[in-house]
Amino acid sequence: MNKANQPGRVAPLRQRQRVSIAAYLALLPMAATVLLAYLGTMLWTARVSVSSSRTFPNSDFVGAAQYIRLFNNERWLLSLQNIAIYGLLFIVACLAIGFLLAVFIDQKVMAEGALRTIFLYPYAMSFVATGLIWQWILNPELGIQEVLHKLGFAEARFDWIVDQDMAIYTIVIATVWQASGLVMALMLSGLRGIDEEIWKAARIEGIPRWRVYLSIVLPMLGASLSTAFVLLFVMVVKVFDAVVAMTQGGPGTASEVPAKFIMDYLFGRANIGLASAASIVLLSTVLAIVAPLYFVRSRRAAKGGAA
């Protein structure tokens, strides 16, 4: 008798099929959410961005008129300049600080669990809470500057949050403090996966520890670094809560960012056509960064599987 037709094998096969069907049914709500709530709204936003919609959406077609108006808007151009400065400093600082914290904890220090919790805890806070905390810390009349004055440093100044030229850097300080712990966790998981034999060989060869990290360890952390970069880049594009909580985009429009520009034009100025065009520009930026990274990682995974 064919083994596949034996009664004892038919029952497990049917059971696996039922489990598979149940799994697909369980995924249906998430699939519907992705298709309707995400993909559907993106397509709707793209359609509105090529219309003359203002308070209410219109069904007409004006081509790239909204995009031309957008890139002729000085406030939008300023927000792009700010997000470029913020993004560069934020990503570099988070990666550097997160990596150094991970290296520190990887040395099997005492109270490692407590330190991991302390470094990661800020990431559990909302950006609104972070913004309010740092608004108080950087307030010239209440925070660091006032403390320095009371300590006798009467000429000390740390009023960046009310300085038009420095306000965007206060956003960097607050958000780096919050997000560095996430990078630390990702880097630490990568460091813990590195073979101890590498360190033993480096010690035998007399290679300085910093050179091992720079030439051997960092290239081996490529997956962790790319994951951290994508997450940080998405945070940069989405930054809104911390800006509103700390500076309201000010002084004036000194710390204006694209997300705040979109929200202001969507709700405050009732111009959903222009806001939709700005949203599509941000979405295109994210796709332009994330898609190539995803493609490279998929190719590497495919090559690894083939090998």
Side-chain angles (χ1 to χ4, degrees):
M1 180 183 292
N2 191 339
K3 292 183 177 180
N5 295 327
Q6 292 179 2
R9 292 181 176 273
V10 172
L13 179 59
R14 290 177 177 173
Q15 185 176 2
R16 285 197 299 271
Q17 290 176 340
R18 286 196 297 268
V19 171
S20 178
I21 293 172
Y24 283 117
L25 289 175
L27 287 173
L28 279 178
M30 180 57 69
T33 301
V34 170
L35 290 174
L36 298 177
Y38 295 133
L39 184 59
T41 52
M42 283 190 290
L43 294 175
W44 184 84
T45 301
R47 175 65 184 89
V48 172
S49 72
V50 293
S51 70
S52 61
S53 304
R54 291 191 64 85
T55 305
F56 299 102
N58 293 333
S59 59
D60 60 350
F61 180 78
V62 296
Q66 294 288 11
Y67 294 91
I68 295 172
R69 288 183 57 205
L70 180 67
F71 282 95
N72 286 328
N73 189 306
E74 292 185 3
R75 185 177 171 187
W76 171 252
L77 296 178
L78 175 62
S79 73
L80 293 180
Q81 177 184 328
N82 285 338
I83 204 69
I85 295 171
Y86 168 79
L88 177 63
L89 295 176
F90 172 75
I91 292 175
V92 171
C94 283
L95 289 175
I97 295 173
F99 177 72
L100 292 175
L101 290 175
V103 169
F104 168 67
I105 292 180
D106 194 46
Q107 308 306 308
K108 308 297 190 297
V109 296
M110 293 180 60
E112 176 184 323
L115 288 173
R116 282 204 309 265
T117 301
I118 292 170
F119 293 147
L120 191 56
Y121 178 74
Y123 185 69
M125 301 172 60
S126 71
F127 277 108
V128 173
T130 297
L132 291 174
I133 291 169
W134 281 94
Q135 181 195 57
W136 180 83
I137 292 174
L138 298 173
N139 188 314
E141 298 179 358
L142 300 172
I144 295 174
Q145 179 174 293
E146 182 63 18
V147 171
L148 292 174
H149 289 175
K150 289 183 178 180
L151 291 175
F153 302 96
E155 301 299 322
R157 290 190 59 193
F158 196 63
D159 57 351
W160 288 8
I161 200 168
V162 295
D163 186 337
Q164 287 192 336
D165 296 327
M166 304 301 292
I168 192 65
Y169 300 106
T170 64
I171 311 298
V172 175
I173 293 171
T175 51
V176 165
W177 173 80
Q178 180 169 20
S180 294
L182 172 65
V183 179
M184 175 216 67
L186 293 171
M187 294 295 104
L188 185 59
S189 65
L191 288 173
R192 290 291 163 83
I194 293 176
D195 193 344
E196 282 292 330
E197 295 301 321
I198 293 176
W199 295 108
K200 293 178 182 178
R203 284 194 295 268
I204 292 172
E205 295 293 332
I207 303 175
R209 199 170 185 85
W210 65 268
R211 185 63 181 273
V212 178
Y213 277 110
L214 187 62
S215 302
I216 300 175
V217 173
L218 273 177
M220 295 178 68
L221 294 177
S224 298
L225 284 170
S226 62
T227 300
F229 175 81
V230 170
L231 292 175
L232 293 175
F233 182 79
V234 172
M235 289 181 195
V236 169
V237 174
K238 290 169 54 181
V239 64
F240 171 77
D241 297 348
V243 174
V244 172
M246 289 182 68
T247 65
Q248 289 289 331
T253 57
S255 57
E256 181 82 1
V257 290
K260 187 176 184 300
F261 175 94
I262 292 169
M263 297 300 288
D264 285 351
Y265 273 81
L266 186 61
F267 296 107
R269 301 197 177 192
N271 192 333
I272 63 175
L274 195 65
S276 297
S279 300
I280 294 300
V281 170
L282 285 190
L283 175 62
S284 301
T285 305
V286 173
L287 292 177
I289 297 295
V290 174
L293 286 174
Y294 178 78
F295 177 75
V296 170
R297 292 185 65 174
S298 298
R299 289 289 298 272
R300 287 179 179 175
K303 288 181 180 179

